[in-house]
Amino acid sequence: MKQSSPFVFTTGVLGYPILFVLLIWIVFWFEIRFGISFNNFGVRPGEVKGLRGILFSPFIHGDIKHLFNNTIPLFVLSMSLFYFYRKISWPVLIIGLLLTGILTWSIGRPANHIGASGIIYMLAAFLFFKGIFSKYYRLVALSLIVVFLYGGMLWYVTPINPEISWEGHLSGLISGFVLSIIYRKNSIKSPKYEWEKPEYKEEEDLFMQHFDEKGNFIERRFEVEEEETEENSGISYRYFYKKSEEKKE
């Protein structure tokens, strides 16, 4: 039986990321349409009421620029998570969201921390470190792509801009790294070639039959056997290998 591929494209690979993006845009539209603000539902460090922001803050954004900057990375990184790590995608997403929010609440400044950027940093860090730990060529390639596309985000885990929640970014980065260690043993194993499998028998390998015990190439040729069939009075051909006779000196 053919072994199923670890990477399978399903409707969820596109469906869930699209749903996440739609939700944050719908929340923002609702605020604009009815002239209200959900900023008070963000993570507010040091306050018990601010804990509700752990669940709500990723869906709240301050302005259209903030929302747009988070839309594409959220879509791309979450889609990568559901495609390359579908078996652990939901635990990583849910635990990462909670851990990022708790860390932000613990180390953040006394302000309303809102936006999906913490989740984005968590996804980017997880995809990068998990791919490196796996040593599987496709996942390592994904790590390099993440660095190429979003490596510049690393600057924003430091307090270079007072208007940006660097605490949320740093919390997401730490959360992604921790999750990559927790799920390190769930790495996809590299495929084995036929000769690496325990049931492999060299004498049954057609390629190896072209060589003798000393590694010398053995010439082989095709012989054709003709057989007349009764159904269409045609001729069918059977091909088989035959060793060439050794030349006599």
Side-chain angles (χ1 to χ4, degrees):
M1 183 180 294
K2 187 178 180 181
Q3 188 176 4
S4 59
S5 172
F7 309 118
V8 179
F9 186 86
T10 63
T11 55
V13 173
L14 277 177
Y16 295 128
I18 290 175
L19 178 61
F20 301 153
V21 171
L22 281 177
L23 283 174
I24 64 176
W25 276 89
I26 288 173
V27 170
F28 185 76
W29 170 85
F30 192 87
E31 289 183 291
I32 298 300
R33 176 64 178 82
F34 296 100
I36 58 178
S37 175
F38 292 138
N39 287 359
N40 290 331
F41 286 86
V43 174
R44 192 164 183 86
E47 297 182 9
V48 176
K49 188 170 66 173
L51 289 171
R52 63 186 179 183
I54 294 174
L55 297 178
F56 298 136
S57 62
F59 303 98
I60 306 170
H61 293 80
D63 52 38
I64 190 67
K65 181 180 178 182
H66 186 201
L67 177 61
F68 183 77
N69 288 340
N70 284 344
T71 295
I72 297 177
L74 178 63
F75 178 79
V76 172
L77 294 173
S78 59
M79 186 172 63
S80 300
L81 176 69
F82 281 102
Y83 180 73
F84 289 99
Y85 301 102
R86 71 180 189 277
K87 292 184 179 180
I88 59 174
S89 55
W90 281 109
V92 167
L93 192 61
I94 294 173
I95 296 174
L97 183 148
L98 296 175
L99 185 57
T100 300
I102 292 172
L103 286 176
T104 303
W105 185 86
S106 302
I107 66 175
R109 291 164 291 171
N112 291 315
H113 297 256
I114 59 175
S117 54
I119 303 302
I120 291 170
Y121 274 79
M122 182 274 295
L123 291 173
F126 175 81
L127 293 174
F128 172 75
F129 290 110
K130 182 73 165 93
I132 297 300
F133 292 153
S134 71
K135 298 180 181 180
Y136 183 70
Y137 69 100
R138 289 190 180 181
L139 301 181
V140 172
L142 176 63
S143 298
L144 297 178
I145 292 173
V146 170
V147 170
F148 177 76
L149 293 177
Y150 303 112
M153 297 192 311
L154 191 61
W155 291 104
Y156 297 100
V157 299
T158 58
I160 60 175
N161 189 336
E163 296 182 358
I164 295 177
S165 176
W166 64 270
E167 299 95 332
H169 298 171
L170 180 60
S171 298
L173 181 66
I174 295 172
S175 300
F177 176 70
V178 170
L179 287 170
S180 69
I181 294 177
I182 293 175
Y183 290 101
R184 184 175 181 177
K185 294 183 179 180
N186 291 282
S187 298
I188 298 172
K189 296 181 180 179
S190 300
K192 289 186 176 181
Y193 295 100
E194 289 297 325
W195 60 82
E196 295 178 314
K197 297 179 180 179
E199 64 271 15
Y200 171 76
K201 295 181 180 179
E202 184 176 329
E203 60 273 11
E204 296 179 359
D205 191 323
L206 294 177
F207 177 77
M208 294 302 297
Q209 290 175 14
H210 285 275
F211 301 89
D212 61 16
E213 296 178 353
K214 297 181 179 179
N216 299 316
F217 180 76
I218 303 173
E219 184 181 357
R220 291 179 176 270
R221 60 186 176 86
F222 280 114
E223 282 197 1
V224 180
E225 177 182 343
E226 297 184 358
E227 178 183 359
E228 187 175 352
T229 61
E230 297 180 355
E231 297 179 357
N232 52 15
S233 298
I235 296 176
S236 63
Y237 296 90
R238 297 177 181 176
Y239 297 90
F240 57 93
Y241 280 116
K242 183 179 180 180
K243 287 185 178 180
S244 298
E245 295 181 0
E246 295 182 358
K247 295 181 179 180
K248 297 181 179 180
E249 296 182 357

